[in-house]
Amino acid sequence: MQRVLTVVPFEGQPHNRYLYDDNTGMVFPSTPAIEELLKAHRDAPLDAAAASLADRYSAEDLAFAAQFVERWETRFGAFYRSPDYRPQIEKAMLEFSRQDIEALINQHAWVQLVVVLTEDCNLRCTYCYYSEAYPVSRNRTARAIPLETGKKALDYFFSQAAARIDANPMRKLAVNFYGGEPMMAQRTLRELTQYAKEHSPAELVFAVTTNGTMLKGDIVDFLVENNFHILVSVDGPPEDHDRNRVFPKGHGTFDAIKANLTEFKRRFPDYHHIHVIGVFDWQTDLMRVNQFHQDNADWLPPLQMMSQANDRDTLYYERFSEEDRQRFGESHRQLEQAYLDAKLAGKPVPAFARAYFEMRMVGVLLRKRQGNLPFSILPFTTTCVPGSKLAVRTDGTYDICERINGTMPIGDVDHGLDFARIEEIVKEYNREICRGCWACPVTKLCAHCFASCNTDGKFEKTNCRATIDGIRNTLSAVYSILDVEPNAFADMSFFNPELQLLTR
Amino acid sequence: MRYFALHQDVYFETGASGGALYDFMSRRVEPLSPADTAILEQLERAVPVDDVPGAGPLVRRLCDQKLGTRCATPTRRDRYMPVLKLKMSGLVEPPLVIGVLHLSLTASCTLSCTGCGDTAGAVWQGCNGCARWPGVRRDAAWTHGAIDQFFDDLGALDIRNVFFSGGDPLAELDLLDHAVRRLRQRTKPPGIIVTTNGTAVTPAVLDWVAENGVKLNFVLLGESAADYQRACGDAGAFEAVMEALGAAQLRSIPFNVALRLDGDGDGAAATARRRQWASTLGAQRVFGFETLRVQDDGGVAPAAWMATTGPARVPQVGPEQFFLRRDQHPCLSGTIAVGADLSARPCPMLEDRDFGHVGLTPLRTLLGQRRHERWWQLTKADIPGCSACEFRYACADCAAVDLAKRRQPALHAAVCSYDPARASWRQ
């Protein structure tokens, strides 16, 4: 059986060829001779492979290519996976025990508890994941989490996290309030915050994700006093924001949010734990949103994340035409060009363009490399360990995270985590999503996770070819910048790992 | 137009004047003259070979040595392990691993060596010797209660190895036994090494060593009774130690030997002879250590091992050591030391860098205060005398000498004969 080649060729600046190798996580300058030799060497000894290419490449080019391949293959295990790899990795992925998953969770989970305070919301956003547009997920209801349920969830989280803190007293824990709209359950938010402060085994980081329309009055003082990370949804200027983010009677929310954020800025000009998160769809004009962020920095908090409205299991995208897609594609290209121009000229990059492009590039820049091994139980994709971002629903059910659609609960506040169920879920994920990953050349860069592949109670594989192409494009973008400016990403201060963990 | 590119597994580091190429494939370190360093710096900035005066011969040499290649276009070389400065704390705090916990349960000893605990000089490569813990009173010792409290407070901290030293830990075997029992009760028992001068190693002690899976590190003060007489005034101790070594060998108990190299100033040949002698004792590893003493004129006699000098002194280095030394100090990172006076320090030899008293504040709390972090994150680039040296990531020299004795710069010269400012070796 032939060995599998684990490289992705791509180009940086014109004619600068590179290879990304998934075994080592390295990117190498490449030549056509190297790429051809790697293919020929899959099932032939290196000498024979080089000889078979003698009519196409010069002796000097082939000698260099052979020397390069030999160095990295023999010393660092680059470029190929042997036929033995598949049965070995599948055994590790599919035959682990419940004790194994329990040990993994206890070692790496218990970082963050997401408390869904209420399933109610004062808005009716058209792309809301908890609306009729997404038939698989729950809909908005009037349910709120009872105080006792919230306390039970905190007690369980803290009791499990204690061992993690015991092993490293410098670690913090996060309690992240989510909804619905958490500001509709302010009393519970206050009481659970107080309860958490009194019972946590470690220093706490609080976060809340809000639509911003109720971010006023006493609650603002409370959030600031407790140093909350406040994440406010703003999609852009009124034309983009009010198209989707609306009150029940259909009018836009932009003005209300702007008034609240302006007042917040006036009262707390030096408060840095407030950020904006945004959503885009095919009708978003990215250049306009970019300009909006540049023009409104006096009241608008910094942008932390831009994400696309969820396009799985949804009726939402039926409203868009092919022209919408094309227009969006054009605005994407324009923004990309503006971003590259600024980056290559060494000029400041607009904050929006940074959030839109560089957050994707972070995955490439911080990729795992040689010696940085994945978990044997979850060797592929960059999914989290279940329990690291534990979400509790209003009825006390636990989910892997707040973004999963609710069809795969993993326990509840009365019984704790159901490790047998988690074992089943992880094995199903490995079976359904990762079954072909043994031959994939981008396992260290693939961003799929439980939430992104979850449909109605099961996992569904996405288009891997599109994923690989997307990663190839990102690699090209990163290296076309590095070709011109080798220190372009030396300053990673724009990337805050803690904030990323709270918003991912 | 032709460019030159080093292979990706070859790292170019510059010093104050010269440079060095670290070749991970062969693990060798290739020194570069100041002139070649200046040329290579230009080639690394993608200046064509033909535009750099004098580059031709250097490029030919580096290509012949398989350190790099000529290429038609300048390309970006991705670093094997880039330095990306991210703030990984709080929620994203990486696992805390204490690689080595040094514990001195008692400062008392069965021997009385001249210069023991002397704070005026410095112990060179003393990690495996016994002449450390300067500044601790000789009558200091833990109690059983203090040991219990200390281990209760440790909680689930991940501790990989515990090195007991003294004084001589076997001088108060009941304390040592108590501590070792507590360590063996931990969910993940650490490796245990006991450093001893060997005079208290009896058959009963060896039974205890075997039963508890402890490894011994014998500190030898010389190769003869005369050496012992000179070092501690007890010539008879030599015979006792030799008996202990023989008994350990007979019982197949693993041990290391740390040989004191200084003391009589009898030169490089004698040092080599002693090392050779030590290698015949059946030890798994043989270490050397010596005490550097500041003389009245402020000078320090060169360390015994400094008899050889020149590029041959630069050790081979692979990628693992290179990146470890680039990103952290190989012995200070992950190390905590707690002395017989219950004070915690970054290393047993740094007597004036007190973290706190573990009898008053649990070690976990001290770690939570992050006072150790500066030491754990220390690299050779932070150490005066090493920061401008192109060989800093090949060299495994002890930082404690420089760090603890900054007002005595002669100490650095006593252990290093390379002058980075001139890119030359002192004779």
Side-chain angles (χ1 to χ4, degrees):
Chain A
M1 195 177 160
Q2 212 175 40
R3 297 188 298 170
V4 173
L5 194 53
T6 60
V7 300
V8 177
F10 65 94
E11 211 172 56
Q13 288 293 320
H15 311 302
N16 278 5
R17 300 171 77 102
Y18 292 94
L19 280 177
Y20 163 72
D21 169 51
D22 198 52
N23 283 0
T24 58
M26 289 289 291
V27 169
F28 302 101
S30 181
T31 62
I34 287 175
E35 289 167 28
E36 288 291 311
L37 183 64
L38 283 171
K39 284 181 200 162
H41 182 37
R42 260 188 305 212
D43 54 0
L46 194 57
D47 290 348
S52 72
L53 300 170
D55 56 340
R56 271 179 279 170
Y57 299 102
S58 71
E60 188 188 6
D61 283 352
L62 279 176
F64 171 70
Q67 187 195 98
F68 163 76
V69 171
E70 198 266 336
R71 283 166 83 96
W72 282 88
E73 184 192 0
T74 54
R75 179 68 178 86
F76 297 109
F79 310 133
Y80 301 101
R81 291 187 190 130
S82 74
D84 299 337
Y85 178 73
R86 182 178 182 179
Q88 282 170 8
I89 200 73
E90 285 184 345
K91 186 174 165 62
M93 285 162 58
L94 301 173
E95 295 181 20
F96 60 84
S97 69
R98 192 183 320 171
Q99 287 72 29
D100 293 334
I101 192 79
E102 212 167 327
L104 182 73
I105 288 170
N106 286 330
Q107 214 174 342
H108 296 281
W110 316 115
V111 178
Q112 179 178 185
L113 178 70
V114 179
V115 182
V116 178
L117 285 175
T118 173
E119 294 176 9
D120 204 356
C121 185
N122 62 328
L123 306 190
R124 297 294 182 272
C125 302
T126 53
Y127 54 52
C128 178
Y129 190 54
Y130 303 114
S131 71
E132 294 74 11
Y134 292 86
V136 175
S137 64
R138 70 165 168 81
N139 277 1
R140 183 185 50 77
T141 74
R143 276 196 295 266
I145 195 167
L147 191 59
E148 284 313 306
T149 304
K151 286 181 179 177
K152 276 187 190 174
L154 285 169
D155 287 341
Y156 181 66
F157 174 60
F158 290 152
S159 67
Q160 299 301 309
R164 192 169 176 275
I165 299 303
D166 200 24
N168 188 343
M170 291 180 289
R171 280 177 168 150
K172 293 181 189 173
L173 299 173
V175 177
N176 194 343
F177 293 107
Y178 204 74
E181 170 51 45
M183 294 298 139
M184 292 184 76
Q186 288 183 20
R187 188 170 162 192
T188 313
L189 185 151
R190 287 171 190 265
E191 293 194 30
L192 288 180
T193 301
Q194 191 57 38
Y195 187 81
K197 283 161 68 178
E198 287 165 8
H199 292 82
S200 174
E203 194 179 332
L204 283 172
V205 173
F206 289 108
V208 62
T209 305
T210 173
N211 62 39
T213 56
M214 299 171 74
L215 193 64
K216 56 187 174 185
D218 294 348
I219 192 67
V220 174
D221 297 275
F222 179 80
L223 297 178
V224 170
E225 275 165 26
N226 288 285
N227 213 18
F228 266 70
H229 283 279
I230 306 167
L231 302 159
V232 186
S233 302
V234 178
D235 289 353
E239 303 92 301
D240 291 287
H241 182 95
D242 287 345
R243 185 164 51 81
N244 287 317
R245 303 194 66 82
V246 293
F247 287 110
K249 289 186 178 173
H251 58 282
T253 57
F254 182 87
D255 290 342
I257 298 167
K258 181 179 178 183
N260 289 343
L261 289 177
T262 304
E263 177 64 5
F264 187 101
K265 184 82 171 180
R266 188 190 67 76
R267 292 187 60 205
F268 306 104
D270 299 324
Y271 193 73
H272 297 302
H273 285 178
I274 181 164
H275 290 83
V276 161
I277 52 178
V279 173
F280 63 87
D281 60 25
W282 301 146
Q283 283 182 351
T284 303
D285 182 337
L286 294 174
M287 291 301 286
R288 185 168 59 201
V289 180
N290 182 44
Q291 195 62 45
F292 165 75
H293 279 272
Q294 289 187 59
D295 295 345
N296 293 278
D298 55 330
W299 62 271
L300 193 64
L303 182 69
Q304 166 61 21
M305 186 175 72
M306 268 314 271
S307 52
Q308 183 191 333
N310 195 329
D311 61 352
R312 286 178 70 89
D313 300 317
T314 182
L315 310 170
Y316 177 70
Y317 279 81
E318 289 179 4
R319 70 189 59 198
F320 300 114
S321 65
E322 185 53 31
E323 285 162 358
D324 289 330
R325 277 175 168 273
Q326 286 179 4
R327 255 197 308 274
F328 177 81
E330 183 53 34
S331 77
H332 173 94
R333 277 186 289 279
Q334 286 176 8
L335 184 66
E336 186 176 37
Q337 196 55 53
Y339 168 80
L340 290 174
D341 288 347
K343 198 78 185 168
L344 295 179
K347 292 180 181 168
V349 175
F352 173 77
R354 278 207 123 152
Y356 185 79
F357 288 110
E358 287 189 352
M359 284 302 172
R360 267 178 255 186
M361 294 177 178
V362 163
V364 164
L365 295 166
L366 300 182
R367 67 186 181 272
K368 288 182 170 155
R369 300 183 196 220
Q370 191 82 346
N372 193 349
L373 299 173
F375 304 123
S376 63
I377 291 173
L378 279 165
F380 301 124
T381 72
T382 45
T383 192
C384 64
V385 174
S388 55
K389 192 183 187 188
L390 189 64
V392 58
R393 296 184 212 164
T394 54
D395 66 357
T397 304
Y398 287 132
D399 285 316
I400 290 176
C401 78
E402 82 283 8
R403 288 168 189 265
I404 210 157
N405 63 19
T407 58
M408 286 192 179
I410 57 169
D412 61 61
V413 292
D414 292 319
H415 304 94
L417 285 191
D418 180 347
F419 289 102
R421 180 70 189 119
I422 294 173
E423 180 190 343
E424 283 172 21
I425 290 173
V426 172
K427 283 182 176 169
E428 190 184 341
Y429 180 79
N430 282 340
R431 210 166 20 240
E432 297 302 321
I433 304 302
C434 305
R435 62 177 179 268
C437 295
W438 61 275
C440 174
V442 293
T443 62
K444 288 186 165 77
L445 300 174
C446 172
H448 285 312
C449 70
F450 293 119
S452 70
C453 302
N454 177 218
T455 64
D456 192 5
K458 57 186 191 300
F459 292 114
E460 201 167 275
K461 203 167 175 63
T462 50
N463 182 350
C464 287
R465 179 46 56 191
T467 302
I468 294 170
D469 288 344
I471 289 171
R472 189 198 310 273
N473 289 342
T474 307
L475 284 162
S476 274
V478 170
Y479 280 82
S480 63
I481 293 168
L482 291 173
D483 272 341
V484 178
E485 180 45 74
N487 295 316
F489 297 105
D491 175 15
M492 294 283 288
S493 59
F494 68 90
F495 179 70
N496 179 338
E498 189 166 279
L499 197 54
Q500 177 73 2
L501 196 71
L502 292 169
T503 54
R504 194 171 71 170
Chain B
M1 199 162 289
R2 299 290 269 178
Y3 297 87
F4 172 77
L6 290 166
H7 288 315
Q8 270 170 304
D9 42 352
V10 176
Y11 266 54
F12 174 41
E13 292 293 340
T14 55
S17 174
L21 293 174
Y22 292 71
D23 178 8
F24 294 159
M25 286 290 168
S26 67
R27 307 173 77 87
R28 77 198 150 110
V29 182
E30 180 77 20
L32 291 173
S33 69
D36 285 349
T37 303
I39 292 170
L40 192 52
E41 280 182 314
Q42 291 192 66
L43 297 175
E44 282 282 277
R45 288 197 295 269
V47 179
V49 174
D50 294 341
D51 293 355
V52 181
L58 176 65
V59 167
R60 259 195 306 281
R61 177 160 65 87
L62 297 180
C63 289
D64 289 347
Q65 291 178 307
K66 296 186 178 175
L67 294 168
T69 182
R70 298 177 188 88
C71 45
T73 53
T75 49
R76 161 82 186 167
R77 278 179 303 116
D78 189 41
R79 282 308 194 187
Y80 185 85
M81 281 288 172
V83 179
L84 291 171
K85 288 179 181 165
L86 294 177
K87 193 180 169 204
M88 300 295 281
S89 61
L91 287 182
V92 288
E93 188 78 44
L96 178 77
V97 177
I98 298 179
V100 177
L101 173 62
H102 290 276
L103 283 181
S104 167
L105 300 177
T106 175
S108 65
C109 184
T110 52
L111 299 177
S112 301
C113 299
T114 52
C116 178
D118 185 1
T119 57
V123 183
W124 178 244
Q125 302 286 10
C127 315
N128 300 289
C130 65
R132 44 186 182 173
W133 302 103
V136 178
R137 284 167 50 122
R138 294 292 101 186
D139 59 351
W142 292 47
T143 62
H144 288 264
I147 290 171
D148 280 331
Q149 186 194 331
F150 178 74
F151 284 106
D152 288 345
D153 290 340
L154 281 183
L157 286 177
D158 187 356
I159 300 170
R160 303 290 168 87
N161 294 287
V162 177
F163 291 3
F164 286 101
S165 53
D168 191 312
L170 298 179
E172 299 209 34
L173 186 58
D174 59 326
L175 288 179
L176 180 64
D177 177 56
H178 190 66
V180 168
R181 276 176 205 276
R182 292 298 308 261
L183 285 171
R184 293 186 66 203
Q185 287 165 2
R186 291 178 66 79
T187 313
K188 279 168 62 182
I192 301 172
I193 292 185
V194 172
T195 292
T196 174
N197 63 38
T199 55
V201 174
T202 61
V205 167
L206 289 175
D207 288 342
W208 176 87
V209 165
E211 185 187 329
N212 288 284
V214 169
K215 191 169 182 176
L216 290 176
N217 182 43
F218 285 99
V219 175
L220 304 186
L221 303 176
E223 58 172 333
S224 66
D227 284 342
Y228 269 70
Q229 181 62 39
R230 197 162 41 234
C232 64
D234 184 355
F238 177 69
E239 197 173 332
V241 175
M242 290 301 106
E243 273 181 31
L245 283 171
Q249 255 187 309
L250 274 178
R251 292 172 188 234
S252 301
I253 290 172
F255 63 88
N256 294 331
V257 159
L259 178 64
R260 187 167 168 175
L261 298 173
D262 58 314
D264 56 2
D266 49 2
T271 299
R273 190 191 66 238
R274 284 181 186 180
R275 279 187 180 275
Q276 172 61 31
W277 169 78
S279 69
T280 65
L281 297 173
Q284 289 186 328
R285 294 185 68 185
V286 175
F287 303 97
F289 73 100
E290 54 190 304
T291 305
L292 307 168
R293 291 200 180 75
V294 182
Q295 294 156 357
D296 293 340
D297 61 359
V300 181
W305 75 313
M306 291 278 288
T308 56
T309 186
R313 284 190 48 83
V314 179
Q316 292 198 325
V317 63
E320 303 83 7
Q321 299 101 319
F322 177 89
F323 291 112
L324 183 68
R325 289 169 195 169
R326 188 194 65 178
D327 296 339
Q328 54 192 233
H329 193 272
C331 69
L332 288 175
S333 178
T335 296
I336 293 287
V338 185
D341 55 359
L342 276 73
S343 69
R345 347 172 143 173
C347 131
M349 288 181 282
L350 293 174
E351 74 265 28
D352 54 353
R353 303 295 198 278
D354 197 345
F355 291 156
H357 189 280
V358 298
L360 302 173
T361 312
L363 183 61
R364 289 180 69 254
T365 308
L366 293 176
L367 293 170
Q369 293 167 356
R370 299 182 176 273
R371 293 176 67 183
H372 65 289
E373 275 194 336
R374 186 167 92 77
W375 303 93
W376 284 26
Q377 292 167 359
L378 200 80
T379 69
K380 280 288 174 75
D382 304 313
I383 297 172
C386 299
S387 58
C389 177
E390 57 271 34
F391 302 121
R392 58 192 178 277
Y393 303 128
C395 170
D397 287 354
C398 177
V401 168
D402 279 329
L403 292 169
K405 311 287 178 184
R406 285 191 181 177
R407 274 165 283 177
Q408 295 169 358
L411 279 168
H412 185 88
V415 297
C416 177
S417 58
Y418 185 67
D419 179 358
R422 298 178 183 193
S424 65
W425 296 86
R426 287 184 292 265
Q427 294 303 311

